[in-house]
Amino acid sequence: MRLFRARCSCSSTHTAFDHLALARTHLAAGEPEGARQETIHALDLFGTISSHRVGDRLTELHDEALPYANSTPATDLRERITHALG
């Protein structure tokens, strides 16, 4: 977590990647609420940058959240990504 905080001064794109990595880690640990929170942070940044790579990672995260689709946080995560990628 210290590394993440140290990188917060970097570009918004790097910070978005950090949030997406944390979201994926939360999903891997079976924590869809944590994944949802990190996704919200990444999506906030995604709205201010133009990055196809971040969009690609969001698409991957959307797919990775499918096994948790029966949980409210994962459903919300997937809906937010769908809306952002329009």
Side-chain angles (χ1 to χ4, degrees):
M1 193 56 131
R2 270 188 252 154
L3 176 62
F4 175 71
R5 288 188 189 119
R7 287 192 58 192
C8 284
S9 62
C10 295
S11 76
S12 295
T13 302
H14 287 128
T15 305
F17 278 121
D18 288 340
H19 284 294
L20 290 171
L22 287 171
R24 294 173 93 172
T25 301
H26 279 291
L27 280 180
E31 302 169 352
E33 177 57 34
R36 185 182 77 85
Q37 289 299 321
E38 294 301 333
T39 301
I40 290 170
H41 294 303
L43 289 170
D44 287 344
L45 293 168
F46 185 63
T48 65
I49 60 176
S50 176
S51 171
H52 292 288
R53 290 177 49 220
V54 171
D56 290 345
R57 296 309 176 279
L58 285 165
T59 299
E60 292 169 2
L61 181 60
H62 181 273
D63 295 343
E64 291 169 10
L66 183 59
Y68 302 95
N70 62 341
S71 75
T72 301
T75 299
D76 183 54
L77 175 156
R78 289 172 50 85
E79 289 173 357
R80 287 174 185 265
I81 291 172
T82 299
H83 178 71
L85 296 176

